[in-house]
């Protein structure tokens, strides 16, 4: 097998992976999953010994948001692809800033209210949830502003 054919296959595979999106009908599925998980998270507050359910619902909510994020619009074109790319880039940058600033803010608030003043981290759920919400909101805002 020649080097060129291997490179061609790799390039086509990477191109397919780069353009991966779910169909538009999955957007409704994603909304359904996210809303159901959110309602169940609220309902979990009223159930005793339900702490084991929390990470499961967090994961389900993240999956619902990811499905929404990966779903195509009804009319998907290169302009929307560009807006989606911009929104992912902005969400990534803001998530990094959030990850760097949030522990400092938590520490400052703890010192201000005379609580235990040690730097505390945060969960993966907070970062991923923030990233997906920011991406979706930025995409919707960019789409609304440019139409």
């Amino acid at each position: 097998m020649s080097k060129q054919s291997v490179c061609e296959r790799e390039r086509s595979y990477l191109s397919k992976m780069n353009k991966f999106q779910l169909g538009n009908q999955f957007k409704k599925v994603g909304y359904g999953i996210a809303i159901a998980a959110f309602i169940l998270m609220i309902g979990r507050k009223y159930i005793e010994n339900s702490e084991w359910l929390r990470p499961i619902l967090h994961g389900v909510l993240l999956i619902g948001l990811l499905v929404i994020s990966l779903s195509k619009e009804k009319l998907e074109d290169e302009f929307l692809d560009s807006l989606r790319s911009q929104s992912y880039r902005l969400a990534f940058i803001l998530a990094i800033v959030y990850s760097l600033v949030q522990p400092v803010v938590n520490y400052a608030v703890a010192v201000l209210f005379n609580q235990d003043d040690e730097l505390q981290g945060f969960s993966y759920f907070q970062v991923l949830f923030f990233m997906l919400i920011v991406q979706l909101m930025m995409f919707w805002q960019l789409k609304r502003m440019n139409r």
Side-chain angles (χ1 to χ4, degrees):
M1 194 175 282
S2 70
K3 286 184 184 180
Q4 191 173 23
S5 65
V6 171
C7 289
E8 296 281 330
R9 279 198 339 227
E10 280 296 313
R11 189 173 298 130
S12 68
Y13 178 73
L14 288 174
S15 176
K16 285 180 187 176
M17 290 300 291
N18 190 28
K19 298 288 183 187
F20 175 76
Q21 282 187 302
L22 298 172
N24 182 260
Q25 67 272 17
F26 283 97
K27 192 169 288 235
K28 292 177 185 174
V29 172
Y31 280 121
I33 291 170
I35 291 169
F38 186 73
I39 290 170
L40 289 172
M41 288 171 92
I42 292 171
R44 186 192 66 82
K45 297 280 186 188
Y46 303 106
I47 300 173
E48 291 182 28
N49 300 327
S50 64
E51 197 58 34
W52 61 273
L53 199 55
R54 187 178 190 180
I56 295 170
L57 291 175
H58 282 176
V60 170
L61 179 62
L62 289 176
I63 288 170
L65 291 174
L66 183 63
V67 168
I68 295 168
S69 177
L70 290 176
S71 297
K72 289 181 182 179
E73 295 296 310
K74 285 184 182 178
L75 299 171
E76 190 76 26
D77 58 0
E78 287 145 5
F79 180 68
L80 284 179
D81 192 38
S82 170
L83 293 181
R84 190 180 309 276
S85 172
Q86 287 176 356
S87 68
Y88 278 119
R89 189 172 34 249
L90 287 169
F92 179 74
I93 291 168
L94 289 175
I96 289 173
V97 170
Y98 174 77
S99 299
L100 294 173
V101 171
Q102 187 62 31
V104 176
V105 170
N106 286 346
Y107 178 75
V109 169
V111 167
L112 188 65
F113 291 112
N114 296 325
Q115 296 175 349
D116 58 345
D117 47 355
E118 65 181 52
L119 279 176
Q120 295 179 353
F122 43 91
S123 71
Y124 73 93
F125 174 75
Q126 285 177 301
V127 175
L128 294 176
F129 181 77
F130 177 80
M131 193 178 235
L132 285 168
I133 289 295
V134 167
Q135 187 275 323
L136 289 170
M137 292 176 77
M138 291 301 248
F139 179 66
W140 294 331
Q141 186 65 25
L142 288 169
K143 191 171 76 170
R144 192 173 63 99
M145 286 177 16
N146 290 305
R147 287 288 171 164

